[in-house]
Amino acid sequence: MKTVPAHLGSVLMLGVVSQLAQVVMLRELLMVFHGNELSIGIILAAWLIWVGVGTAVGTALAERSERVLTLMALNALILLPTLALSVLASRALRGIFDVVPGAYLALTDIMLGSLLLLAPVGILLGMQFVLLAKLWRLHDRNDDTLGAGKTYIGEALGNIIGGMTFSLLLVHYLNAFEVVVLAGLLVVLAVLWAGARTTGMGEPLPRSGRHALTGVLLVGILGFATLPGVERFGHYLQWRSIAPEHELLEVRQSRHGNISIARRDDQLSFYRSGHLMFAAAGPDAPSAHFEEQEAAVFAHFGLTQHPDPRRVLLIGGGLRGTLGEILEHPVERVDYVELDEVLTAAARRYLGAATLAALDSPRVNLVHRDGRLFVKESREQWDVILIDVPDPATAVLNRFYTTEFFTEARARLAEGGLLVLNAVSTPGLRGRAVANRNATLRHTLARHFEHMLVVGDHHLIYLASDSPEVISAAPQRLIERYRAREVRSQAFSPGHFALLLEPGQLARVNWVLRHHGRSPDAHRTGPPSPPLRPEAPLTPTLDELDEVDERLFVNSDFRPVGYFHTLMFWGDLTGTRTAEQLGRLLDVRPGWIALPAVLVLVLIGLLRITSRERATAPDRQLAVSLAVFTTGLSTMAMQVALLFAFQSLYGFVYEMLGLIVAIFMAGLAAGTALTQARVKQRASLGLLACVQGAIALFALLIALLLPLTAALTSASAVFLCFAALTFTGGLLNGVDFPLTAAAFRAANQRPERSAGLVYGIELFGACAGAALASVLIAPILGIVACFLLAAIVNGTALAALLIARR
């Protein structure tokens, strides 16, 4: 009976600590980058780059030294404090950039910050893989790459354990420092265990190494109680760069992100993961603040448009005062949907009596749920639906401004119902980015409602309905209705109707939003100048104007361009380089990928003609390298795309990140184990070519089927669908690893080098896939385009292998 290798614990712990460190650092950096999902791909790319570099370092060490256990012990001793220091450094990261408080960092700053911060941990973890692969080869007493495959499987299993433990347990009870220190302690313990029980596997771990590991383990355990204080200091350090003029009152952990509450004078600001959700006056404020006045205008102008609003749905905004203003109208019931119960509980300690009374009103049904899912699964009918969430500055918020959501909301409106939403603007729509974003919202709404009106200047209110009798631009009519309801509001008066509905301003705004986005270069040139006498603002949306450029001016779950325009707008407002950098990306065309694909195939063809030796032929090695690279690129691009699509349909993935990655790693482990157990001729280029073809076909299948998932009405069905796709992607990736490792081993006869090369090249491919998918392809070309990219690159790898095989 085979004994369990003593180093198996270290292999599993490599996966556990990799998963926990990756998820924690991703969450920490998302706070630094204001929850901007464009940064997800950049963060993952930086992580993968440094793990790849660490693999190269580990390969060099493993080939030159037999003191594998000593190197593992030294790695573990450095890793533990490095993990904690990396979290602390992430809290201070924003302070090294020359950016005003509240401004979004430019893409170059995000890249630089991610690369600087993730280098130490990534290199150390990359080194561990190659060292453990050699340790397993020595244990098995062979000279092939099976040890690397076993390490790959063990790491994947550790990833599964770490991901599920984080999502189901750690995220609810431990802070970031406690999670990474716990992971580091487990790595130290695993190496200590292996060093005490492993023999005949290179030079043994010296006694001094065991003593050092034991000392660090004891210090870490005894110091664990101090980590809550370190966490508080870290938040204070971070807050000095986010909003230095605010006093940080409280930080709470939520499954949806960190909730931070800050105060400046008598104003309270509420943040989730570094992104401002809303601001409100404190309980002792003498009068309503600007934010509450906006809430009042939004609520009263929207509800007064409807002749008899009895049932109202409010998504977001209730805590900033919108809910209390709605209750001034004779409504029978308000379904108020707020995502996070932790946010509501925290806000109750700080908000005024009026807002607290509104929350406890018998007419209010408070639901803590994702608003998008609530609408999708509900069978209720509402007279008015008010969407009072922040601008679509993140992909999560963008979900409430897409064509798919407007379809769902329209189905939930009663006959003659009204949809109301709002967005920040500038007087006269000055600025190309703000005009692009607000015209995008208008054109997206116009796909679903026959009648629309946009009101305001620095803050726009969008009104949409299928009934021509609901929306009115007549101030007197609305004033009479408002007075008849005997509404009492300190922040809104009948005079607001005349100001909001001033004929000249109203006609100009609606004309610009209606006409902008209908020319091929509209996103670059900005909106056209309106005529002296624009047409009536309530012109039906069905018109004979030129078609809207749907790629850049219709916002959808699968092409979230509204979120891209919003980031450019905030870049303009804060004077950063974000708008300029993102603007260049809008000109990218999908056909650009053809040139590098053709060049690679031509190069392999030329090498094939000139090469002689079959095993070490350069065309064969290049084709195998390309297969490794494209597998990493395509599976990561698909994973990022699935994550974005899942988020659009399901909601926040903050607590689900670990579980999603665990599902992917489960597929990866299954694929690698199946290949190592069942396939004898693993160095076959023909079989490797078949795998590349399978990945390409899988990507094409998802591209065809993914848009259909928008019709799923069950959250469970959405999760199961995406879990199945994620598992299958991991399975195909797992099948690829032992095949390419064996192909490299047949060419160079160096097992450590083969394992390191395959692991490193795959990581660099994954790096490219993550960056391309999240920054460029998904928001501009669309999420489906990520799968088309995967199909093209793996198809290219298939062709390359067939050329080399001949």
Side-chain angles (χ1 to χ4, degrees):
M1 183 177 179
K2 292 185 177 181
T3 59
V4 177
H7 64 276
L8 177 60
S10 290
V11 174
L12 292 174
M13 285 307 108
L14 171 60
V16 170
V17 73
S18 295
Q19 181 60 48
L20 293 180
Q22 186 182 74
V23 173
V24 168
M25 295 310 299
L26 185 63
R27 289 166 46 139
E28 290 294 321
L29 286 173
L30 277 175
M31 279 201 66
V32 178
F33 305 145
H34 289 280
N36 173 10
E37 287 92 347
L38 284 183
S39 64
I40 289 179
I42 297 174
I43 297 167
L44 291 176
W47 176 272
L48 294 166
I49 284 174
W50 290 120
V51 174
V53 171
T55 302
V57 175
T59 299
L61 292 174
E63 288 194 327
R64 290 170 171 78
S65 175
E66 295 300 315
R67 303 178 66 180
V68 183
L69 286 171
T70 300
L71 291 173
M72 283 293 301
L74 182 62
N75 185 293
L77 291 173
I78 299 173
L79 180 63
L80 177 56
T82 300
L83 286 167
L85 289 173
S86 295
V87 174
L88 188 62
S90 72
R91 305 282 174 92
L93 180 63
R94 187 180 170 87
I96 72 172
F97 297 104
D98 183 20
V99 60
V100 298
Y104 281 46
L105 293 177
L107 288 179
T108 49
D109 295 337
I110 294 174
M111 293 176 188
L112 178 60
S114 300
L115 286 169
L116 287 174
L117 189 70
L118 298 176
V121 173
I123 291 173
L124 289 170
L125 292 176
M127 290 172 59
Q128 281 195 29
F129 178 83
V130 183
L131 295 174
L132 287 168
K134 179 172 183 176
L135 208 58
W136 210 311
R137 182 178 66 80
L138 293 173
H139 174 270
D140 291 345
R141 293 181 172 83
N142 59 38
D143 204 30
D144 58 21
T145 57
L146 284 175
K150 293 176 181 179
T151 306
Y152 200 65
I153 295 170
E155 183 191 12
L157 293 174
N159 270 275
I160 297 169
I161 296 169
M164 296 190 68
T165 304
F166 180 84
S167 292
L168 302 177
L169 184 65
L170 300 183
V171 71
H172 301 287
Y173 299 106
L174 299 183
N175 64 50
F177 288 96
E178 290 170 337
V179 171
V180 297
V181 169
L182 176 62
L185 290 173
L186 290 174
V187 172
V188 171
L189 182 62
V191 175
L192 186 61
W193 176 276
R197 287 162 177 77
T198 301
T199 57
M201 295 166 57
E203 295 186 20
L205 180 64
R207 182 177 299 177
S208 58
R210 292 198 295 272
H211 289 166
L213 289 170
T214 304
V216 169
L217 188 64
L218 292 174
V219 170
I221 293 172
L222 294 175
F224 204 80
T226 66
L227 295 180
V230 178
E231 171 81 357
R232 288 191 294 271
F233 173 74
H235 283 304
Y236 167 76
L237 193 64
Q238 185 177 55
W239 203 255
R240 290 172 56 188
S241 61
I242 293 179
E245 296 181 353
H246 288 66
E247 176 192 359
L248 183 62
L249 299 177
E250 185 177 354
V251 177
R252 294 196 185 188
Q253 281 285 108
S254 163
R255 62 196 183 106
H256 300 298
N258 286 336
I259 303 299
S260 304
I261 305 170
R263 178 175 61 200
R264 182 180 180 183
D265 299 328
D266 56 1
Q267 175 182 290
L268 296 168
S269 298
F270 295 79
Y271 294 79
R272 178 187 291 121
S273 297
H275 184 77
L276 178 65
M277 299 304 296
F278 67 93
D284 301 325
S287 61
H289 280 210
F290 177 74
E291 292 80 5
E292 290 173 298
Q293 292 173 3
E294 277 190 348
V297 171
F298 176 68
H300 295 305
F301 192 85
L303 285 181
T304 310
Q305 289 283 341
H306 196 283
D308 188 26
R310 295 294 176 181
R311 294 183 60 85
V312 176
L313 171 63
L314 172 64
I315 297 179
L319 300 177
R320 74 167 183 146
T322 306
L323 180 62
E325 301 294 338
I326 291 173
L327 294 177
E328 292 293 327
H329 293 257
V331 297
E332 294 176 354
R333 174 174 167 143
V334 180
D335 291 308
Y336 169 39
V337 183
E338 183 62 61
L339 174 69
D340 200 340
E341 63 272 17
V342 174
L343 175 62
T344 305
R348 283 181 178 273
R349 294 186 55 192
Y350 301 100
L351 296 179
T355 301
L356 295 177
L359 289 171
D360 296 329
S361 170
R363 290 187 289 163
V364 172
N365 173 38
L366 175 59
V367 180
H368 287 116
R369 184 92 191 279
D370 176 77
R372 178 78 182 265
L373 277 181
F374 180 79
V375 170
K376 182 188 285 284
E377 295 184 346
S378 177
R379 291 296 174 264
E380 297 285 343
Q381 295 283 300
W382 291 283
D383 300 313
V384 180
I385 297 177
L386 297 105
I387 312 300
D388 194 14
V389 299
D391 280 14
T394 68
V396 168
L397 296 171
N398 189 71
R399 302 164 57 244
F400 295 98
Y401 298 88
T402 64
T403 184
E404 291 84 0
F405 175 65
F406 293 150
T407 298
E408 297 160 0
R410 182 185 179 189
R412 303 274 63 83
L413 284 172
E415 185 176 354
L418 176 70
L419 178 68
V420 189
L421 57 90
N422 60 141
V424 174
S425 185
T426 58
L429 289 167
R430 286 195 296 270
R432 182 181 60 183
V434 69
N436 289 345
R437 197 280 304 278
N438 289 337
T440 297
L441 300 187
R442 190 267 176 201
H443 294 316
T444 307
L445 269 172
R447 290 287 190 274
H448 304 278
F449 296 93
E450 294 185 18
H451 301 275
M452 284 185 56
L453 183 66
V454 184
V455 176
D457 52 5
H458 68 279
H459 192 265
L460 297 182
I461 299 175
Y462 291 75
L463 307 162
S465 177
D466 284 329
S467 173
E469 304 299 324
V470 173
I471 301 174
S472 174
Q476 193 56 41
R477 178 183 180 185
L478 300 177
I479 290 172
E480 292 174 359
R481 187 177 291 166
Y482 181 81
R483 286 174 172 163
R485 295 177 186 174
E486 299 182 350
V487 176
R488 298 289 183 269
S489 174
Q490 293 182 348
F492 188 88
S493 71
H496 279 86
F497 291 107
L499 291 174
L500 291 168
L501 296 172
E502 191 278 317
Q505 164 73 5
L506 191 65
R508 284 191 296 273
V509 167
N510 284 270
W511 189 94
V512 168
L513 294 181
R514 183 184 178 194
H515 287 76
H516 185 41
R518 298 181 187 272
S519 63
D521 60 347
H523 65 286
R524 287 192 297 266
T525 60
S529 300
L532 293 177
R533 294 186 178 181
E535 71 260 17
L538 279 170
T539 302
T541 60
L542 301 176
D543 49 50
E544 299 179 356
L545 298 175
D546 293 337
E547 286 294 322
V548 172
D549 182 355
E550 292 200 15
R551 185 176 72 89
L552 295 178
F553 286 93
V554 174
N555 193 29
S556 76
D557 287 342
F558 299 104
R559 186 184 286 125
V561 70
Y563 141 56
F564 204 81
H565 287 317
T566 302
L567 291 179
M568 294 178 66
F569 171 40
W570 285 115
D572 279 347
L573 287 181
T574 56
T576 64
R577 292 165 290 159
T578 303
E580 178 186 352
Q581 293 172 351
L582 295 180
R584 295 194 189 102
L585 299 180
L586 291 176
D587 294 323
V588 171
R589 295 293 180 266
W592 290 2
I593 192 176
L595 180 60
V598 171
L599 290 176
V600 167
L601 293 179
V602 169
L603 176 60
I604 291 178
L606 292 174
L607 291 173
R608 178 70 188 93
I609 293 171
T610 59
S611 61
R612 294 180 180 179
E613 296 182 30
R614 294 292 298 171
T616 60
D619 61 315
R620 180 187 181 99
Q621 294 192 52
L622 181 57
V624 174
S625 299
L626 180 65
V628 178
F629 182 84
T630 56
T631 298
L633 187 153
S634 59
T635 51
M636 181 55 73
M638 289 191 289
Q639 188 61 28
V640 169
L642 285 172
L643 187 67
F644 277 22
F646 178 71
Q647 178 175 261
S648 293
L649 301 177
Y650 188 88
F652 269 82
V653 295
Y654 191 77
E655 64 168 333
M656 304 291 288
L657 279 173
L659 184 58
I660 292 170
V661 176
I663 293 170
F664 178 82
M665 299 308 294
L668 187 144
T672 304
L674 183 66
T675 304
Q676 296 213 144
R678 300 293 182 182
V679 178
K680 302 303 180 184
Q681 299 297 326
R682 288 187 293 276
S684 167
L685 290 195
L687 183 57
L688 185 58
C690 291
V691 174
Q692 301 305 304
I695 296 174
L697 290 174
F698 175 66
L700 283 175
L701 182 64
I702 301 179
L704 293 173
L705 298 180
L706 188 64
L708 302 179
T709 59
L712 296 174
T713 58
S714 166
S716 299
V718 171
F719 179 78
L720 290 174
C721 175
F722 280 88
L725 294 176
T726 299
F727 180 87
T728 305
L731 182 75
L732 292 171
N733 194 351
V735 169
D736 192 82
F737 180 84
L739 299 180
T740 50
F744 271 115
R745 169 69 176 76
N748 59 38
Q749 304 298 314
R750 297 165 70 180
E752 272 70 58
R753 181 176 176 81
S754 298
L757 271 175
V758 172
Y759 196 66
I761 294 172
E762 183 181 285
L763 288 172
F764 284 119
C767 161
L772 287 171
S774 68
V775 177
L776 181 62
I777 298 175
I780 300 173
L781 302 179
I783 290 175
V784 171
C786 294
F787 300 100
L788 297 178
L789 169 71
I792 292 170
V793 298
N794 278 99
T796 303
L798 167 63
L801 287 166
L802 293 178
I803 293 171
R805 182 170 179 262
R806 292 185 63 191

